[in-house]
Amino acid sequence: MQIKSAEFVISNSEVSKCPSDNIPEYAFIGRSNVGKSSLINMITGRNKLAKTSGTPGKTQLINHFKINKNWFLVDLPGYGYARVSKTTKKEFQSFITDYFKQRRALICTFVLIDSRHSPQKIDVAFMEFLAENEIPFAIIFTKTDKLKPKAIAQNIAKYEAEMLKDKFEYFPKYFTSSSTNKNGKEEILNFINSINKDFNSGSL
Ligand code: GTP
Ligand code: MG
């Protein structure tokens, strides 16, 4: 899929104020600093569309970007940022959980996981939350430029084992990505394109 246009639409902290266009929406979530905003820039080929930073906690709001005039990419704040207060964490939780529970247009969520780490409780717990609320999601293992393919495969296998151990019956669809060398761009865009087609044909 070619990205012909990518426009910032609105930032806000209230789901009720998110755009009301009835078009498919894809959200990017994961720990602070995992590379959500960078990935949005990489797949759209627009380096400055979403704001990125080496310091965790850069993205603070729900940010809507309209792509090719007929679907949304949504950049969200990260979870698990140790330096914010408990109150801020709680506020963040309700704001983000409201988005996931109430956003009807949300057709698929991408949960970003740093490919360098073994399974983290907070990521598994977040995916359980999505599954419990019947919110479709796929995983994207990020920053693959920082690791050898064998080590990436080992970490993914550990995730699979961890998730299948308990709550999950199958391992979700997953991708690998690097915003540095553009690994994953085509696969992620093809996946979005196929869902958009199903949506537009009425089969979703
Ligand atoms: P918050 O908005 O703070 O939650 O972070 P985020 O998940 O949006 O991360 P962001 O895209 O801002 O990237 C965080 C840092 O990781 C930045 O310094 C990026 O340059 C770096 N980064 C992101 N993706 C990659 C990647 O694929 N490879 C490498 N090497 N660095 C990356
Ligand atoms: Mg961000």
Side-chain angles (χ1 to χ4, degrees):
M1 170 171 43
Q2 268 209 316
I3 305 296
K4 294 182 193 131
S5 65
E7 303 146 34
F8 166 74
V9 181
I10 193 171
S11 295
N12 66 73
S13 60
E14 281 173 59
V15 191
S16 59
K17 292 183 183 156
C18 287
S20 56
D21 323 35
N22 184 28
I23 57 176
E25 180 160 318
Y26 301 84
F28 292 76
I29 186 75
R31 285 167 165 262
S32 281
N33 217 43
V34 69
K36 301 174 291 296
S37 305
S38 304
L39 184 68
I40 287 179
N41 291 344
M42 190 273 275
I43 65 170
T44 56
R46 267 67 170 177
N47 275 341
K48 290 186 179 147
L49 190 63
K51 293 195 177 115
T52 66
S53 166
T55 314
K58 177 68 179 172
T59 311
Q60 300 271 342
L61 295 165
I62 303 171
N63 301 289
H64 276 77
F65 301 100
K66 198 181 245 185
I67 314 299
N68 291 351
K69 304 206 183 292
N70 59 11
W71 50 281
F72 284 126
L73 278 181
V74 178
D75 193 16
L76 294 167
Y79 50 71
Y81 177 35
R83 276 200 273 161
V84 297
S85 70
K86 272 197 180 144
T87 325
T88 314
K89 256 188 203 163
K90 257 198 179 152
E91 276 166 14
F92 164 76
Q93 272 168 8
S94 65
F95 156 128
I96 213 76
T97 49
D98 278 359
Y99 169 81
F100 282 105
K101 286 183 178 174
Q102 294 173 25
R103 191 66 181 152
R104 294 275 160 260
L106 182 64
I107 206 160
C108 182
T109 297
F110 292 104
V111 178
L112 274 60
I113 291 176
D114 192 321
S115 62
R116 293 172 295 177
H117 304 314
S118 42
Q120 308 280 308
K121 265 190 194 148
I122 194 165
D123 292 320
V124 178
F126 193 83
M127 291 188 275
E128 283 172 9
F129 159 79
L130 292 176
E132 277 158 16
N133 287 281
E134 296 176 355
I135 298 163
F137 69 93
I139 300 178
I140 302 180
F141 291 96
T142 64
K143 305 194 184 183
T144 55
D145 56 284
K146 293 204 174 197
L147 222 59
K148 294 221 164 77
K150 201 174 163 192
I152 297 168
Q154 279 170 351
N155 281 346
I156 294 176
K158 281 190 208 157
Y159 253 99
E160 179 164 11
E162 178 67 28
M163 286 177 71
L164 296 183
K165 199 170 73 183
D166 202 7
K167 291 235 168 106
F168 289 88
E169 279 167 39
Y170 64 92
F171 193 50
K173 181 165 184 63
Y174 71 87
F175 301 89
T176 56
S177 79
S178 162
S179 300
T180 307
N181 64 25
K182 299 193 168 53
N183 166 34
K185 178 176 179 174
E186 250 188 76
E187 291 84 354
I188 295 166
L189 284 177
N190 286 344
F191 179 66
I192 291 175
N193 197 29
S194 70
I195 300 178
N196 283 345
K197 276 190 181 152
D198 287 346
F199 180 87
N200 291 328
S201 73
S203 62
L204 277 183

